[in-house]
């Protein structure tokens, strides 16, 4: 159990708040478990369709209910580097299943888009909505009711949260997430960022920029900075959905393959046919969610998870709020320095001790609930390990002790943290509610008071920067970027120009109802501001020249305008017709019309 009473108190209030929805959810899970998976009672036509391409031995096995069948949900495509390794996983999983005395089938594929490709492009306006679409697509695959357990193959930004939402919707099934791992280290992330800023200033050309980017993103696996994709992997391990130590092993290595095969055998062990039946809906509870949030803060993880975690929790009947996330940030110290919070990448983080060392430190400090169920068994203590390739290609694990990490500049002890609080903070004020990632923002830049410069399109800010119109102190207000306006695209392309201005000595910040990438950091940015401008939120009342104050220390976001004047202003409007068509955006109109608010997960189905 957690030894820190503050963590226990926050967990207890989540439990209390969630009682009605959690109890109803668990009742649905229990009913689904009681019905079970009974392939033997399917009609002959149903079953014949379900195993038509299986071998005679597999057909014989699946004719009854004693041999478990593993459903594979895969996000494979070979354009997305993080998911390309999954091409060979289904056959590896099927072979491991046969060795374990079971059967495995690909139940379905889900879309997996790359935010790196669509950044600043029209396709980015589909990105956030793809999370809920992924959950729906996974549900289609599992709806055939042929499976005793499921494994999910996914890594990147919206993919893992969408798969987690699907997994909890099918909470009666035992579930394991199987990662593919990060690409090997290429050009340093700091050097990459410098080249981007030089390009923004016109000091290098497209050729030099492309050469730099290609050195950074050069092979299979996740991008090596600590953005949303790698935050996903951390979360899955912190929540007990990965096998211990599996998050950051490089693709196409013997250890990676051994961990994948081990996960398959474990999946069969936790089915109703095995000895340790562990349906995921009962396994993941409020303590698991809190452990995930703690990990997010201790590592300076992605701001996107202030929405994803809320949507994931709601899929399991758990009511997590921004206030819970912010209050946990005040308690949990920052223990990792991974770009953009430092110069190291995730491979350096793993070499320094990785997830096992991090979990050891969080357990020592009493910040984690140890008494949780995981896919590996009982308790987080089993995750405080170092994983290696053992004899005969098997997985070997050794318990991590209490000494310093292999690189204290990357991974530190709980009593010598890089900063005393976590990476994220909630902001509140007369502009609305928002969140800010502070782990990479220098303390002297966490309070900014400056006049507003208002934009309704991110390209307008780029144009103003190139025209030399922003060489001054200011807070950029980029609005009509929320879920209902245009799908809430990431505005990561604003980071280089704002970074240039900050480096020139100007006080700059960003306030937006849109998102920033999990890779963003050094420029203070109040994001996910809600209510959004399209909903008539106060952000739509801000005018050019209004003095704004962003105070990340005290958690406030204010327009320094007399209340009577500010409240009486008409809200601005914007012509959003240009966001309604092209690159599939017309197909997502129902999502824009029905999406929930950012602080409720920005979900179409759980909002």
């Amino acid at each position: 159990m957690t030894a820190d009473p503050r963590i226990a108190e926050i967990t207890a209030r989540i439990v209390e708040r969630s009682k009605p929805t959690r109890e109803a959810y668990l009742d649905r899970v229990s009913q689904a478990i009681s019905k079970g998976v009974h392939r033997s009672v399917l009609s002959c036509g149903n079953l014949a369709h379900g195993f038509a391409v299986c071998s005679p031995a597999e057909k014989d096995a699946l004719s009854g209910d004693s041999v478990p069948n593993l459903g594979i949900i895969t996000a494979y495509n070979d354009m997305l580097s993080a998911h390309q390794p999954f091409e060979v996983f289904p056959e590896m999983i099927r072979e491991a299943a046969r060795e374990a005395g079971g059967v495995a089938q690909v139940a379905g594929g889900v879309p997996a888009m790359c935010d790196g490709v669509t950044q600043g492009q029209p396709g980015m306006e589909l990105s956030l909505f793809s999370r809920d679409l992924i959950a729906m697509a996974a549900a289609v695959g599992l709806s055939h009711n042929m499976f005793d357990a499921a494994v999910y193959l996914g890594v990147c930004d919206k993919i893992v949260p969408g798969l987690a939402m699907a997994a909890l919707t099918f909470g009666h099934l035992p579930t394991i997430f199987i990662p593919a791992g990060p690409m090997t280290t290429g050009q340093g992330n700091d050097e990459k960022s410098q080249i981007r800023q030089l390009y923004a200033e016109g000091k290098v050309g497209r050729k030099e920029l492309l050469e730099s980017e290609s050195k950074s993103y050069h092979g299979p696996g996740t991008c090596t900075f600590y953005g949303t994709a790698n935050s996903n992997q951390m979360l899955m391990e912190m929540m007990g959905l990965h096998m211990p130590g599996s998050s950051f092993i490089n693709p196409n290595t013997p250890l990676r393959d051994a961990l994948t095969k081990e996960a398959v055998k474990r999946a069969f062990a936790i089915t109703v046919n095995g000895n340790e039946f562990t349906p995921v809906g009962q396994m993941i509870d409020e303590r698991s969610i809190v452990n995930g949030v703690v990990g997010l803060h201790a590592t300076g993880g992605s701001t996107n998870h202030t929405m994803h975690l809320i949507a994931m929790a709601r899929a399991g009947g758990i009511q997590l709020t921004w206030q819970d996330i912010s209050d946990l940030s005040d308690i949990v110290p920052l223990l990792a320095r991974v770009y953009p919070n430092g110069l190291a990448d995730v491979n350096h983080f793993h070499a320094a001790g990785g997830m096992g060392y991090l979990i050891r430190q969080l357990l020592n400090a009493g910040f984690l609930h140890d008494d949780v169920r995981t896919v590996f068994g009982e308790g987080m203590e089993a995750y405080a390990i170092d994983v290696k390739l053992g004899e005969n290609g098997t997985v070997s694990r050794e318990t991590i002790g209490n000494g310093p990490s292999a690189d204290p500049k990357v991974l530190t002890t709980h009593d010598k943290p890089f900063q005393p609080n976590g990476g994220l903070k909630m902001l509140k004020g007369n502009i609305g509610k928002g969140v800010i990632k502070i782990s990479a923002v220098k303390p002297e830049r966490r309070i900014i008071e400056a006049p507003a410069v208002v934009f309704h399109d991110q390209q307008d800010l780029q144009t103003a920067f190139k025209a030399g119109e922003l060489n001054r102190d200011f807070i950029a207000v980029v609005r009509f970027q929320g879920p209902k306006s245009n799908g809430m695209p990431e505005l990561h392309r604003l980071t280089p120009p704002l970074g240039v201005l900050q480096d020139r000595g100007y006080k700059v910040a960003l306030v937006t109802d849109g998102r920033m990438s999990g890779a963003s950091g050094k420029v203070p940015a109040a994001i996910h501001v809600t209510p959004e401008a399209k909903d008539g939120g106060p952000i739509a009342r801000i005018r050019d020249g209004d003095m704004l104050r962003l105070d990340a220390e005290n958690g406030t976001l204010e327009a320094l305008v007399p209340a009577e004047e500010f409240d009486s202003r008409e809200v601005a409007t914007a012509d959003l017709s240009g966001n309604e068509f092209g690159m599939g955006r017309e197909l997502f109109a129902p999502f824009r019309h029905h999406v929930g608010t950012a602080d409720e997960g920005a979900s179409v189905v759980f909002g």
Side-chain angles (χ1 to χ4, degrees), residues 348-421:
H348 301 134
F349 167 77
H350 180 72
M355 291 301 301
Y357 186 87
L358 175 76
I359 290 169
R360 166 61 61 216
Q361 290 302 313
L362 292 171
L363 285 170
N364 287 351
F367 291 140
L368 287 182
H369 293 282
D370 185 31
D371 57 338
V372 291
R373 295 173 71 185
T374 74
V375 298
F376 200 64
E378 296 288 338
M380 288 303 296
E381 182 69 30
Y383 285 74
I385 52 86
D386 183 26
V387 63
K388 289 182 169 60
L389 191 67
E391 296 181 3
N392 303 318
T394 58
V395 177
S396 172
R397 293 182 174 88
E398 297 178 2
T399 300
I400 287 181
N402 296 319
S405 75
D407 190 346
K409 293 181 180 178
V410 176
L411 196 51
T412 187
T413 55
H414 67 87
D415 55 342
K416 295 179 181 178
F418 295 119
Q419 67 182 41
N421 46 29

Side-chain angles (χ1 to χ4, degrees), residues 89-132:
F89 276 41
E91 183 52 41
M92 192 186 310
I93 291 169
R94 284 190 283 265
E95 181 182 348
R98 287 191 289 268
E99 292 175 359
V103 179
Q105 296 177 294
V106 172
V110 302
M113 68 181 296
C114 180
D115 289 3
V117 175
T118 58
Q119 201 69 243
Q121 305 297 321
M124 175 54 80
E125 296 179 17
L126 277 58
S127 174
L128 179 59
F129 291 146
S130 75
R131 181 195 66 193
D132 289 29

Side-chain angles (χ1 to χ4, degrees), residues 262-413:
E262 181 192 52
V264 174
K265 293 175 181 177
R266 184 62 189 170
F268 286 124
I270 60 176
T271 66
V272 72
N273 307 80
N275 296 320
E276 301 175 63
F277 182 45
T278 310
V280 70
Q282 294 176 352
M283 185 190 95
I284 296 295
D285 62 13
E286 292 87 349
R287 296 166 300 173
S288 310
I289 297 293
V290 168
N291 281 353
V293 178
V294 168
L296 191 70
H297 292 316
T299 56
S302 171
T303 53
N304 281 317
H305 282 297
T306 60
M307 293 184 294
H308 296 330
L309 271 165
I310 288 174
M312 290 158 60
R314 289 192 172 202
I318 298 168
Q319 303 297 318
L320 181 71
T321 69
W322 276 359
Q323 192 64 59
D324 299 326
I325 295 172
S326 187
D327 289 350
L328 286 165
S329 182
D330 291 339
I331 299 167
V332 179
L334 183 69
L335 302 184
R337 283 287 189 199
V338 189
Y339 188 86
N341 304 326
L343 299 181
D345 67 18
V346 293
N347 292 311
H348 301 134
F349 167 77
H350 180 72
M355 291 301 301
Y357 186 87
L358 175 76
I359 290 169
R360 166 61 61 216
Q361 290 302 313
L362 292 171
L363 285 170
N364 287 351
F367 291 140
L368 287 182
H369 293 282
D370 185 31
D371 57 338
V372 291
R373 295 173 71 185
T374 74
V375 298
F376 200 64
E378 296 288 338
M380 288 303 296
E381 182 69 30
Y383 285 74
I385 52 86
D386 183 26
V387 63
K388 289 182 169 60
L389 191 67
E391 296 181 3
N392 303 318
T394 58
V395 177
S396 172
R397 293 182 174 88
E398 297 178 2
T399 300
I400 287 181
N402 296 319
S405 75
D407 190 346
K409 293 181 180 178
V410 176
L411 196 51
T412 187
T413 55

